[in-house]
Amino acid sequence: MPSRQQLLEKHVAQLRACTRCAGMLKPVVSGGPVLSKVMLVGQAPGDKEPLYGKPFAWTAGKTLFRWFEEATGITQTDFRSRVYMAAVCRCFPGKKTTGGDRVPSDEEIQFCSTWLKQELDILEPELVIPVGKLAILQFLPVTRLDDVIGNTFRVTHSGHAFDLIPLPHPSGASPWHRMEPGKTLLQKALRRIAKHPSFHSIVATCNPVLSG
C-alpha cells in the first residue's frame, strides 16, 4: 500500500494537471505535498500567485504570514513547509470587466471541491483554517464575519471531523480586519490557532523555545 506521503504527492501531481474549468486561468497553484494535520484553505489565487507558483505569494500573503508570525512565532518559510495549503479554487479566475478579481462560479467551486475532499481523505486534518468568507462558507453557513471569527467550531466535512478556526481574508481591499470588532476578533482567532494542539506541535518543531 502506498504511504500517506506517496498518496499526497500523487494527488498534487494530478491537481497541477487539472483542466476541468475552461474559464479558469492556468497554471494551477499548489502549496505542494506537505503532509500535515493542519490545513489552511484560501479562496482562489490572485494574478501574482501563478507567477510565483505558490498560494498567498503577494500582498495579502505578506499580511497573512505577518499575522501568524506575530501571534505564534512561526515564519512564513516554516509555515509553508509544515502546513498544507489548499483553496476553494486552485486557479486564478481572471478579472471582472469592472475591475478586481472575478468570483469563481458555483460550478467552478463544485468542480474544485473534489480536490479538497481528496485532501481531507488523505490528510485527515485535526485543524482546518479557512481564510475569507468564501472559504468559510465551504464549512459553515455564515452571513457575517463577526459571528464566526474568534470562535472554534467542531465540524464534519466529507466524512471527516476536525476543528475549524476561521480567519478573515487579509486583502488590503477589505477593512474588516483593520477596524473593530474585526481587530479584536482576529487576535482572538489567532490566539486560538496558536493554542490548538496540532498547530502548537508545529511551532514546537520549528522553535522549541517559542513553544514553551
Side-chain angles (χ1 to χ4, degrees):
M1 291 290 290
S3 68
R4 201 177 294 253
Q5 182 66 57
Q6 289 171 324
L7 289 172
L8 187 61
E9 290 171 0
K10 180 180 179 181
H11 168 83
V12 170
Q14 292 172 336
L15 168 63
R16 285 175 167 156
C18 181
T19 57
R20 292 176 188 171
C21 302
M24 289 290 200
L25 304 182
K26 302 296 180 257
V28 174
V29 175
S30 168
V34 178
L35 197 63
S36 178
K37 287 299 181 182
V38 179
M39 284 181 66
L40 182 137
V41 181
Q43 300 191 139
D47 58 351
K48 300 293 192 299
E49 278 71 22
L51 301 176
Y52 289 90
K54 56 187 178 182
F56 285 103
W58 201 238
T59 307
K62 292 178 182 178
T63 300
L64 180 70
F65 291 115
R66 174 173 54 79
W67 289 351
F68 281 115
E69 185 159 11
E70 290 177 353
T72 72
I74 193 170
T75 65
Q76 178 179 164
T77 299
D78 285 336
F79 188 101
R80 289 188 183 277
S81 67
R82 288 171 170 83
V83 174
Y84 188 85
M85 299 185 70
V88 176
C89 290
R90 315 302 172 95
C91 299
F92 176 46
K95 296 289 186 180
K96 296 183 293 186
T97 55
T98 54
D101 293 351
R102 179 177 70 84
V103 177
S105 68
D106 291 343
E107 183 180 46
E108 290 165 338
I109 292 171
Q110 183 61 38
F111 278 151
C112 221
S113 68
T114 60
W115 296 115
L116 180 61
K117 181 183 183 304
Q118 290 174 29
E119 288 156 354
L120 293 171
D121 289 342
I122 295 169
L123 296 170
E124 297 182 345
E126 295 168 356
L127 172 63
V128 173
I129 306 168
V131 180
K133 192 172 182 180
L134 182 64
I136 299 167
L137 280 168
Q138 308 313 303
F139 305 95
L140 293 173
V142 55
T143 55
R144 297 183 344 123
L145 290 178
D146 303 36
D147 297 331
V148 295
I149 305 297
N151 295 310
T152 301
F153 301 88
R154 187 68 180 174
V155 303
T156 299
H157 189 288
S158 301
H160 299 281
F162 46 82
D163 292 331
L164 189 86
I165 304 179
L167 289 177
H169 198 277
S171 169
S174 171
W176 189 89
H177 59 83
R178 298 194 300 271
M179 56 193 296
E180 295 297 352
K183 289 172 65 175
T184 296
L185 293 176
L186 168 62
Q187 293 307 312
K188 184 178 178 182
L190 290 167
R191 287 195 298 270
R192 284 180 176 272
I193 291 170
K195 292 178 180 178
H196 192 279
S198 295
F199 199 91
H200 187 77
S201 66
I202 288 174
V203 175
T205 62
C206 299
N207 192 329
V209 175
L210 289 175
S211 68

